[in-house]
Amino acid sequence: MSERILLTGAAGGVGTLMRPRLGKPGRVLRLLDIAEITAGDSEEVIRASVTDMDAMERACAGVDAVLHLGGHSLEASWKDVLDVNINGTYTVFEAARRQGVRRVIFASSNHAVGFVPRSAGEVGDYAFPRPDTNYGVGKVAGEAIGSHYADRYGMDVISVRIGSCFEKPRDTRMLSTWMSPDDGARLFEACLSTPNPGYRVVWGVSDNTRGWFSLAEAKAIGYLPQDDSEVFAAELIAEHGEPRLDEDPHRFVGGAWCGPDMDTARKEAGQ
């Protein structure tokens, strides 16, 4: 009998990187997105929004676990974050509960703790929320929803605070926040397979020489990172200069998202 995993946001950046890496014999990937997706071998496609409860219940029917990547991936208006990222995440968890799905992995973000200062040292797995944007607030809400469903309904829920998941780091900040796609797949596989995790918060980063984040909880569930952003350091530093942690955008975990250009409320108010 095949294992069936639902990936929401399967057409997004992380979803696109994870899709070929999470496919394996004996597993069916059920891909959900509002964008059009063509199913490959051992794949199923559902075109729907995470805000649609009926569609989400159909998507969750018969799956063993949900990897919830769906939602706005960048800063957005409060209305859009509330509708898609917060209500959508609630809808995913509630649909999973109704369909008897026992495990949900939630893609959280470093922006849930974006205003944690770098001067505070290594950022712990359960660092208290200090979101830097509407987007960050949405991730904090998603973590809280996951905690609620774990405690009240006994679901296994792991919130993965993703740093920066790209084929290679794009700037010097990402030398500290990068999660290689291969390590991302290793981490999500650990999240899917670890027995009885209850509720956990883990950092989604590679084992970077310049890392800022604890890997204790991720390693405790079986994550064995194999990549290090340092192989890109010379090239990025030659282009951007050596990062200084006492200067923007490196002073806070959220980087440039903590700066005035991301002050969404004032922009929307015309201030």
Side-chain angles (χ1 to χ4, degrees):
M1 185 175 179
S2 296
E3 174 189 40
R4 183 170 271 98
I5 308 297
L6 171 63
L7 271 68
T8 71
V14 177
T16 298
L17 292 170
M18 291 303 109
R19 181 179 164 189
R21 291 173 168 88
L22 293 179
K24 66 178 186 180
R27 174 182 288 170
V28 175
L29 296 180
R30 182 173 290 172
L31 311 173
L32 182 140
D33 206 292
I34 58 172
E36 185 174 352
I37 300 174
T38 300
D41 294 339
S42 298
E43 292 183 336
E44 302 167 346
V45 172
I46 297 177
R47 191 171 185 180
S49 169
V50 294
T51 63
D52 183 335
M53 182 66 79
D54 289 340
M56 283 309 307
E57 282 205 62
R58 291 193 299 272
C60 286
V63 305
D64 297 285
V66 177
L67 175 51
H68 178 38
L69 304 171
H72 293 291
S73 60
L74 298 172
E75 176 62 329
S77 69
W78 176 247
K79 178 179 181 298
D80 288 343
V81 167
L82 182 63
D83 180 36
V84 179
N85 291 27
I86 298 178
N87 181 55
T89 296
Y90 159 76
T91 303
V92 170
F93 273 95
E94 176 58 13
R97 182 197 69 80
R98 293 182 187 184
Q99 292 298 319
V101 182
R102 303 306 305 161
R103 184 167 303 209
V104 177
I105 296 99
F106 169 60
S108 187
S109 169
N110 67 96
H111 297 294
V113 294
F115 270 115
V116 170
R118 287 298 311 118
S119 59
E122 181 181 80
V123 186
D125 298 281
Y126 296 95
F128 191 82
R130 296 185 66 175
D132 51 30
T133 45
N134 294 337
Y135 172 85
V137 171
K139 293 302 184 183
V140 173
E143 292 181 4
I145 292 166
S147 177
H148 172 63
Y149 273 76
D151 287 337
R152 182 163 292 279
Y153 303 113
M155 294 172 67
D156 288 322
V157 179
I158 302 176
S159 293
V160 180
R161 289 177 171 173
I162 297 173
S164 311
C165 188
F166 300 99
E167 291 287 358
K168 58 186 289 189
R170 297 179 172 182
D171 54 37
T172 53
R173 174 178 171 271
M174 290 190 191
L175 293 173
S176 300
T177 64
W178 186 57
M179 178 173 72
S180 74
D182 287 345
D183 275 345
R186 294 181 187 106
L187 177 54
F188 288 129
E189 288 288 3
C191 291
L192 289 166
S193 63
T194 190
N196 305 313
Y199 182 72
R200 304 282 186 105
V201 178
V202 306
W203 276 106
V205 290
S206 289
D207 192 12
N208 301 316
T209 297
R210 301 169 189 248
W212 294 341
F213 308 107
S214 168
L215 284 172
E217 280 289 86
K219 289 181 177 178
I221 64 169
Y223 174 47
L224 296 173
Q226 297 181 23
D227 295 323
D228 184 345
S229 64
E230 198 64 17
V231 297
F232 304 102
E235 173 188 349
L236 288 167
I237 290 170
E239 181 179 355
H240 301 285
E242 187 75 40
R244 292 192 54 179
L245 300 185
D246 59 343
E247 294 180 353
D248 293 332
H250 302 285
R251 284 196 307 135
F252 296 102
V253 165
W257 286 45
C258 295
D261 289 345
M262 301 295 278
D263 191 341
T264 309
R266 282 199 170 94
K267 286 183 179 179
E268 292 185 343
Q271 295 176 325

